[in-house]
Amino acid sequence: MSFSTSANAEPVAEIDVLVIGAGITGIYQLYRAREAGFSALLLEAGGGVGGTWYWNRYPGARFDSESYTYGYLFSKELFDEWEWREHFAGQPETERYLNHVVDRFELRHHMRFGTTVTSAEFDEATGTWNVVASDGTQHRARFLIAATGVLSVPYFPHVPGLAEFVGESYHTGLWPETPVDFTAKRVAVIGTGSSGVQIVPAVANQVASLTVYQRTPNWCTPLNNAPITPGEQAQLRADFEAIRDVLNTSVHGFLHQPHDGAAFDDSRAERRAFFEKMWNSPGFMKLTSNYTDLLFNEAANSEWCEFVAGKVRSIVEDPEMAEKLIPKDHRFGEKRPPFVTGYYETFNKPNVSIVDLQATPIVRVTERGIETTDGERDFDVIVWATGFDFGTGALLRMGIRGRDGLALADHWADGPTTFLGVQTTKFPNLFLPGGPHAAAGNNPRYNGDQVDFVTETLVYVRDHGYDVIEVTLEAEERWCEMIERNVALSSFTDKSYYFGTNIPGKPRRYLLNSGGRPKLFKEIARVHETDYKAFRLSQSASPVSPPRQAAAAGER
Ligand code: NA7
């Protein structure tokens, strides 16, 4: 890294690659950029490594992808030496793992924590990004890689009186490093998405009372977690190459084998037995290995829903409570299904109650608690498990400006436009792995594909003597049309936050990659076959540093 002086005499750190975010994607991107010979620095708003797995440290936070399918696959040594303790690791184990990775590959030295990016502006003359951070540091980067994650801006609903509550108040996605003591406290949890249904059973035994404020119940099914036995550990190590091959190529990025039959190929009794098997299967298998037509055949879906509803009724002793916990407004797969451990059982405890916000909506938060249309309840702790500004939240809050000072927030006023979820027009040298249009399955696998592609792209630019790369409008439009076209093939509807519909005023746009991994692979292959025709490559007018391996410089 070299240092020069800016107009206002602040030192400016110059760097090839500036990564924003020390989550699973950013860590891998930093590793790959350095391995490819770039000088690289990573800025992270949090006090430590982990991203999602740093901020979401609430009790009960846990993977619902199998641990060894979520972790990195780029190093057999790493895979061999890290022993996940559970098939679905809890947040503390994941945070330890990511810290281990950072230290093992000597990345910490290239990271700055507690550093929020406040502005990032593209300088046309030099083809670089000028980045200012909350600690007053300035950085000039050839390539800016925002690995800021999709679930990194917590959403607090606009409830009157939010700031008036004098007790403790937390959002699951902004959980403090100092553990929260729930002992003998009166606790409210608002929200019953994946986070809410994880924290409820995790704190129920400690609290004096637990009141769950539910607007919409979800189709929760058991996670079926278990410790990884020594025999399984040995098998995982022995199978590393095969596991990596499956995870690097499978449509969803899971190891799960798809089922080969449709629901009504089976008799009713066979379906019942198969659903029982699914109920007892680990995590996402209920989606990835269920009947092939489960998500799109209404009769099959409703039979599965009826099966799950029956399970809820058999677990929850109070029939009225059970009915409240059974979704009535959406089928399985319309929203991202949560996976639970002891969630329904929690409602059999005498100190746990539920407030149905559809019957009695929240009126305001008061000094002492929460007022709904049926009265006020007092609390010591309120937990907001109310979700996130998914996909674009962080990217639109960093003051990113591209060509001609164009703000990303204006460029994406109607929703994100990308090519491969990796670049957007008018923002040269900016890359967005793990952002909108990225995933449609096990996130680290998709985001890892993007990081690999970004890295080989940076190498291509460098090795061909260019220093500016920008996706063409044509390529971006092709990708966006593909996303729109394939939304019909997705089981998610706009009841899901994947459309941004949980945030008032946010444009309704599909924020995942609706074409899935095969489309990503296909387009990446096309980029290679056409020698990067999807991008405009050029050399800036006043390059800051000469290209390292000048070859075919010039505009194209
Ligand atoms: P989610 O899945 O977006 O869940 C948010 C929950 O908060 C959901 O139950 C919402 O009810 C509820 N919510 C949101 N706004 C309100 C208001 N105004 N009043 C009451 N309840 C409200 O977020 P999570 O953090 O649970 O999970 C996010 C992802 O993290 C998850 O999918 C995994 O990928 C990991 P609604 O359903 O909108 O009626």
Side-chain angles (χ1 to χ4, degrees):
M1 200 188 303
S2 62
F3 290 87
S4 65
T5 307
S6 71
N8 61 4
E10 285 292 321
V12 177
E14 283 179 8
I15 198 101
D16 294 331
V17 174
L18 188 71
V19 180
I20 310 173
I24 195 136
T25 307
I27 293 169
Y28 183 45
Q29 183 63 74
L30 179 66
Y31 169 79
R32 289 296 318 267
R34 289 194 48 73
E35 190 197 40
F38 294 102
S39 62
L41 176 71
L42 183 150
L43 305 181
E44 163 58 52
V49 166
T52 291
W53 300 105
Y54 171 83
W55 294 108
N56 288 268
R57 53 180 67 245
Y58 59 85
R62 182 173 291 287
F63 283 159
D64 42 26
S65 300
E66 282 81 355
S67 311
Y68 34 89
T69 72
Y70 197 97
Y72 297 113
L73 300 169
F74 65 84
S75 159
K76 176 162 169 44
E77 293 72 30
L78 172 65
F79 192 89
D80 276 353
E81 75 200 11
W82 185 265
E83 290 205 345
W84 292 103
R85 291 196 311 208
E86 294 176 277
H87 283 277
F88 299 94
Q91 179 276 336
E93 190 177 4
T94 305
E95 192 183 10
R96 278 199 303 279
Y97 168 75
L98 293 173
N99 275 285
H100 169 74
V101 172
V102 163
D103 290 329
R104 190 190 190 292
F105 295 99
E106 298 178 353
L107 299 173
R108 197 175 295 276
H109 173 62
H110 306 286
M111 297 176 153
R112 306 274 178 280
F113 298 100
T115 308
T116 304
V117 169
T118 52
S119 77
E121 299 185 0
F122 183 67
D123 176 29
E124 302 264 359
T126 58
T128 56
W129 282 89
N130 290 324
V131 177
V132 179
S134 56
D135 60 356
T137 54
Q138 296 188 39
H139 310 266
R140 182 155 55 201
R142 169 66 55 205
F143 302 110
L144 179 63
I145 306 184
T148 41
V150 280
L151 291 161
S152 43
V153 175
Y155 168 64
F156 288 89
H158 302 293
V159 178
L162 208 65
E164 277 164 34
F165 182 60
V166 295
E168 299 164 66
S169 181
Y170 305 99
H171 192 290
T172 49
L174 258 182
W175 205 261
E177 282 203 46
T178 315
V180 175
D181 183 7
F182 284 94
T183 316
K185 289 183 179 161
R186 297 162 303 168
V187 177
V189 173
I190 304 171
T192 50
S194 296
S195 307
V197 302
Q198 283 189 332
I199 195 171
V200 162
V203 301
N205 285 334
Q206 303 155 44
V207 300
S209 68
L210 181 58
T211 309
V212 179
Y213 286 80
Q214 173 189 268
R215 192 165 64 181
T216 323
N218 271 301
W219 291 111
C220 302
T221 53
L223 181 63
N224 294 320
N225 192 17
I228 301 178
T229 65
E232 286 169 334
Q233 295 283 12
Q235 198 61 52
L236 283 169
R237 287 197 179 123
D239 291 348
F240 172 70
E241 272 86 13
I243 289 172
R244 188 185 51 192
D245 287 350
V246 173
L247 292 175
N248 280 346
T249 52
S250 85
V251 169
H252 296 293
F254 289 102
L255 290 176
H256 311 152
Q257 292 301 309
H259 185 61
D260 56 4
F264 297 102
D265 294 347
D266 281 350
S267 69
R268 190 169 174 81
E270 285 166 337
R271 283 199 299 282
R272 174 93 207 167
F274 182 74
F275 284 157
E276 196 65 47
K277 189 174 145 196
M278 286 292 104
W279 178 263
N280 291 312
S281 70
F284 271 98
M285 271 187 80
K286 289 112 185 156
L287 270 179
T288 55
S289 306
N290 216 317
Y291 285 121
T292 49
D293 58 344
L294 185 94
L295 297 178
F296 299 100
N297 179 335
E298 220 178 303
N301 196 291
S302 74
E303 202 170 302
W304 166 247
C305 288
E306 207 31 61
F307 172 85
V308 175
K311 288 288 186 189
V312 178
R313 291 184 188 109
S314 74
I315 299 169
V316 180
E317 288 156 11
D318 173 356
E320 226 176 276
M321 180 92 93
E323 286 318 304
K324 284 184 186 165
L325 290 163
I326 296 169
K328 308 286 188 302
D329 73 321
H330 67 281
R331 57 188 167 76
F332 183 80
E334 263 188 78
K335 295 160 90 167
R336 196 266 199 207
F339 300 100
V340 292
T341 306
Y343 176 63
Y344 293 120
E345 290 82 348
T346 307
F347 292 91
N348 293 332
K349 290 179 181 293
N351 63 337
V352 178
S353 58
I354 194 162
V355 176
D356 176 358
L357 292 178
Q358 297 197 19
T360 56
I362 295 179
V363 177
R364 67 173 67 85
V365 175
T366 67
E367 229 175 81
R368 293 183 320 188
I370 299 171
E371 184 186 333
T372 55
T373 50
D374 67 344
E376 185 180 351
R377 292 171 183 82
D378 294 349
F379 297 108
D380 303 305
V381 182
I382 299 179
V383 174
W384 297 89
T386 42
F388 298 86
D389 184 349
F390 182 83
T392 52
L395 290 171
L396 300 186
R397 283 169 171 78
M398 288 192 296
I400 297 179
R401 289 183 179 274
R403 286 197 193 281
D404 304 320
L406 177 66
L408 186 62
D410 291 333
H411 187 49
W412 284 2
D414 296 329
T417 51
T418 76
F419 176 59
L420 310 179
V422 157
Q423 259 215 330
T424 184
T425 50
K426 304 196 173 124
F427 292 77
N429 293 1
L430 171 69
F431 296 89
L432 315 160
H437 298 175
N442 191 10
N443 276 1
R445 303 282 68 87
Y446 279 74
N447 303 349
D449 298 337
Q450 290 182 312
V451 167
D452 291 340
F453 177 68
V454 169
T455 309
E456 64 197 35
T457 299
L458 302 192
V459 169
Y460 182 95
V461 174
R462 179 185 67 192
D463 291 355
H464 287 75
Y466 299 107
D467 59 13
V468 178
I469 179 163
E470 180 183 353
V471 66
T472 64
L473 185 60
E474 187 202 348
E476 181 178 88
E477 284 178 350
R478 193 171 68 240
W479 183 255
C480 292
E481 276 161 21
M482 184 285 293
I483 300 269
E484 288 302 312
R485 201 171 51 245
N486 284 294
V487 170
L489 302 180
S490 163
S491 67
F492 300 122
T493 66
D494 55 12
K495 290 199 168 79
S496 163
Y497 65 76
Y498 291 143
F499 284 87
T501 43
N502 61 325
I503 305 297
K506 188 163 170 162
R508 180 199 174 281
R509 281 283 180 279
Y510 195 65
L511 296 165
L512 301 176
N513 168 10
S514 58
R517 216 176 182 191
K519 288 282 182 207
L520 181 67
F521 288 157
K522 194 175 154 200
E523 279 297 333
I524 288 175
R526 191 194 318 213
V527 169
H528 293 146
E529 281 155 21
T530 60
D531 198 20
Y532 278 80
K533 194 167 160 264
F535 296 90
R536 204 150 49 87
L537 292 133
S538 60
Q539 199 176 50
S540 56
S542 328
V544 177
S545 51
R548 290 168 191 210
Q549 294 176 32
E555 181 102 15
R556 83 164 208 206

